[in-house]
Structures are given as structure tokens and as C-alpha cells.
Amino acid sequence: MKPPSVAQFMYVFLFRNTNPEVIITHFSYRGSVPETAQACVINNFTLSNGSGHLCAPYCHNDFLCNAFDICFTKGQHVCRLRYGKMEVFPHSTSDCAYFEVVPELSCPEGFFLRSRGVCKNNNLALKSPVIMSSVFDDPDYADFRHGDGSFAVNGEVRSDDKECAHTNEESQPWLTVDLLDQFYVRRVVFVNRKIWEGRLHDLNVTVGTTNMAFICFCGFFIGPGTSHQRVDMACEENCRGRYVRLQITTPVPEFLQLCEIEVYSDCNI
């Protein structure tokens, strides 16, 4: 399939009913991707022809979309919306013509999340908001800087066992990471604390479209955990959601303490 005969950049205009402001999205042709590349497809549409101008409005109107490709398959032109970044073949004229949104910010370590106007790392949890069932608040241990959920998504596991997310001792403590938009979650990784490592047990990991309904299952860690143990869980197929929850499920009061959490999509980003 030859690249559509369009200018290097396409401009899509949308007038909001309540605001006369014109919204502009810029798209750049990047090359080709294989027809078999299914990672991170949000939606797809049948087009009357292979023009990028027909596909671009669909991507423009879905703020999770930051790329699309157009394939001619089974006698039809198909527009596939994506997020993330695909491996492209710049000089190929076969398979599917691939376009990316020109981002408002340069995001060399990941991709531009249009719905929020921020960069997202390939590790979707990195620097994302975290809420917890409680925050450890014993002043005698203030020097350990434990408690704040942001410590679990700062990209660092310290050898001195400081800066870990830490709840109070309670029944079924939990921690939830807000990914800021709905992604296809493929893997959830977490790192246990260095000491008191046996507190990590019976941990259920789920994904939800809201912070109240966690219907997608990623895994259950029986434990007890070992020192700085790193656990890598694979989620169910087609697991799409915004919120990732890690929760100890036993009714006996316990502390939940995690030094790092990572969340990955199945995108090639």
C-alpha cells in the first residue's frame, strides 16, 4: 500500500458548540507498520478510500489516540486508532501507512498523553497519582520517609529501605495508582520492602475503569514476600482500565508496604 498522497502535516479542525475556539491537531506521516501489528489499537473504522484525511478526525476526537494507520485489507480501507508508539519502517511502501500526532511536548522517554497534556513514560505508573487506604503516620519513624504513595511511583528503589509507600496497620489495606486515562494493561510489577518483608502476603492486583470497580484480574501474590522481592504479574487479555489496585485481602490487620510499582501496556513503546 502506497502512502496517501497528503501533505506531510494534516490539520483537523473542530468547533466546540460551547466555545468558538478552533482545536487543531497536527499529524505527521512516519512510514509503514505491518498489518499484523495489533498492539494498542483503541478502535478501528472502515473508510471509503485510503485517504489520511478521512482517518485523522477519528483520532483527533479520541484524546487517547496519538497515532493511526490505514490498511487495505479484505477489500476494505481500515483506519486503526492507537496510543503509544509503534516501530515503523520509514521507507516501506507496503502494509499500512502510519501517522503520529505531532505532540505539544517532546516525550523522548515515552509518549504524549493528549487527554491530559502530559508525557507518559513507558512505565505508565511512573509519577502517576496514588491514593491509599491510609498513610503511615508514626512520628517515631519519620526519618524513614515512609507512607507517601508517591514513593512507590518515583522510579527508585533505595538500598537504605527509605521512601516506600506504607499504610497504617489495618484490615485489608490498599493502594491505587491512577494512570490518568484508560490503557490496555498487560503487566503490573511491584517491589517489596527490604525489612519486615514478610508483611507482604495475600496481595490481590486488579485493574478498573473507575476507582470503585476493579473487574480485571492481574494476579494474586500468596507470599510471604522476601527482601526487596520484585514480582512481575501478567494481566488478563484485553484488560483495559485507568486504575490499578493492590490490596491485602486477609481480614487480620496488616501493613501494606511497597517500594515501587510499575505498570506496562502491551504497546511497543
Side-chain angles (χ1 to χ4, degrees), residues 133 170-175 199-206 217 219-223 233 245-256:
S133 55
E170 60 189 11
S171 177
Q172 301 186 332
W174 53 265
L175 179 152
R199 290 172 172 171
L200 188 63
H201 58 86
D202 299 290
L203 187 75
N204 197 44
V205 181
T206 52
F217 180 70
F220 187 81
F221 177 73
I222 298 176
M233 291 181 169
R245 173 161 288 189
L246 299 91
Q247 183 171 23
I248 293 178
T249 57
T250 55
V252 178
E254 184 59 280
F255 297 94
L256 175 59

Side-chain angles (χ1 to χ4, degrees), residues 183-237:
F183 296 92
Y184 287 103
V185 178
R186 192 70 189 113
R187 293 169 46 229
V188 176
V189 180
F190 54 88
V191 180
N192 192 17
R193 191 180 168 192
K194 184 177 182 180
I195 62 174
W196 298 102
E197 63 273 18
R199 290 172 172 171
L200 188 63
H201 58 86
D202 299 290
L203 187 75
N204 197 44
V205 181
T206 52
V207 176
T209 54
T210 73
N211 63 355
M212 298 296 291
F214 296 88
I215 59 176
C216 183
F217 180 70
C218 290
F220 187 81
F221 177 73
I222 298 176
T226 57
S227 181
H228 270 176
Q229 183 176 1
R230 179 182 175 90
V231 180
D232 192 329
M233 291 181 169
C235 300
E236 296 173 337
E237 294 290 335

Side-chain angles (χ1 to χ4, degrees), residues 13 18 22 42 52 103 106 119 144 148 151 163 182:
F13 302 86
T18 58
V22 176
I42 307 167
S106 175
C119 291
F144 280 88
D148 191 335
F151 292 147
E163 297 189 356
Q182 292 191 31

Side-chain angles (χ1 to χ4, degrees), residues 42-55:
I42 307 167
N43 211 336
N44 58 75
F45 302 91
T46 301
L47 306 177
S48 58
N49 61 59
S51 169
H53 287 289
L54 297 180
C55 188

Side-chain angles (χ1 to χ4, degrees), residues 68-138:
F68 68 84
D69 60 82
I70 304 173
C71 300
F72 186 73
T73 177
K74 298 180 180 179
Q76 294 182 317
H77 297 278
V78 178
C79 160
R80 299 188 295 186
L81 308 188
R82 301 177 184 271
Y83 66 86
K85 293 181 180 179
M86 300 295 297
E87 180 181 359
V88 297
F89 304 93
H91 304 297
S92 173
T93 57
S94 61
D95 286 329
C96 308
Y98 179 79
F99 295 82
E100 282 185 2
V101 171
V102 179
E104 298 170 22
L105 296 174
S106 175
C107 303
E109 301 299 322
F111 61 96
F112 181 67
L113 183 60
R114 295 171 58 225
S115 60
R116 295 290 180 149
V118 299
C119 291
K120 288 292 284 186
N121 191 274
N122 295 345
N123 167 16
L124 299 173
L126 187 66
K127 302 187 186 307
S128 292
V130 175
I131 53 177
M132 301 165 64
S133 55
S134 66
V135 176
F136 186 68
D137 55 5
D138 191 330

